[in-house]
Amino acid sequence: MPFNKQTVYDAIRLGALQQYADTLSKDPSRKVGCAVYRDDTNLCVAKATNYLPSYLNVTDDMCKVIKSSLFTHAERACFDQLSNVKTLPKNCPVTVYLTTLPCVTCATIFAIHTLPIEISRIVCIDNCSTTFKTRHNTDKALDIIREKYVVEVYTMQEDDYDIHPNRIIKGLQKQQDSTC
């Protein structure tokens, strides 16, 4: 992936989105964010984190199965917001940003959505901190969305990954240097 002006924009948007998710997500272990930017105006038209319904209180010791069944994924929450946006022109080109790789469920939402938008790119971070099972699911999810969209994955090592855009840019530069 070439390192250019768009890469810097991507890093700034991903850094801001990660900071947003870190601040608002109630899940202490998975702070996921999703944002949708119009390609023509560069304005953010929807932004969300993974969340629990407000009447529930998440705890670290809550059973993972219960927690995962109660949480709304950031991608779904973001698409719910988009469905309420009345000012988007029909087939408006947008870029979707994710602070992590999508799961199979969210990839399917991207593949079958009926919103009046045209996704030009999906940009996400792979922070390399996944188990084999999770990696298998995210690889399957990427296959699903790559059938329909341009997907750009920025691979970040955990020591490179930080909410500050300059750290993300440095991580991306390291990645590019190692692939040249």
Side-chain angles (χ1 to χ4, degrees):
M1 181 177 331
F3 192 79
N4 56 29
K5 189 164 119 177
Q6 185 61 54
T7 306
V8 175
Y9 288 147
D10 291 347
I12 291 168
R13 289 176 180 166
L14 286 167
L17 182 58
Q18 186 62 57
Q19 189 169 21
Y20 174 80
D22 286 349
T23 304
L24 295 179
S25 176
K26 290 187 177 182
D27 184 354
S29 61
R30 299 226 2 117
K31 297 181 179 205
V32 179
C34 178
V36 177
Y37 282 81
R38 286 180 60 164
D39 290 345
D40 56 350
T41 63
N42 289 318
L43 294 175
C44 182
V45 292
K47 181 167 52 172
T49 67
N50 54 340
Y51 69 92
L52 270 175
S54 58
Y55 56 85
L56 293 173
N57 187 20
V58 68
T59 60
D60 285 328
D61 59 346
M62 184 184 280
C63 173
K64 283 185 178 186
V65 174
I66 293 171
K67 200 187 315 185
S68 66
S69 66
L70 296 174
F71 262 91
T72 297
H73 289 213
E75 297 90 336
R76 180 173 179 183
C78 200
F79 273 46
D80 286 348
Q81 281 183 23
L82 276 174
S83 68
N84 295 322
V85 175
K86 305 295 182 211
T87 57
L88 279 176
K90 190 172 175 111
N91 297 325
C92 179
V94 298
T95 298
V96 178
Y97 290 91
L98 303 168
T99 59
T100 190
L101 297 173
C103 68
V104 173
T105 304
C106 292
T108 304
I109 289 170
F110 286 124
I112 64 171
H113 81 84
T114 58
L115 294 170
I117 58 171
E118 181 181 315
I119 298 174
S120 59
R121 295 185 312 140
I122 297 174
V123 181
C124 49
I125 293 177
D126 178 359
N127 63 8
C128 299
S129 64
T130 57
T131 63
F132 174 76
K133 182 179 178 187
T134 305
R135 172 57 60 192
H136 174 73
N137 286 336
T138 54
D139 287 346
K140 188 174 177 183
L142 287 172
D143 289 343
I144 290 169
I145 57 177
R146 281 186 172 132
E147 286 180 18
K148 192 170 180 181
Y149 305 113
V150 173
V151 179
E152 297 176 21
V153 178
Y154 292 125
T155 304
M156 306 292 288
Q157 301 302 321
E158 284 191 65
D159 60 333
D160 291 330
Y161 189 72
D162 191 310
I163 59 171
H164 196 277
N166 288 339
R167 292 283 313 270
I168 292 176
I169 291 169
K170 284 180 185 175
L172 295 176
Q173 285 173 328
K174 273 190 199 175
Q175 174 189 339
Q176 185 182 21
D177 292 345
S178 66
T179 58
C180 293

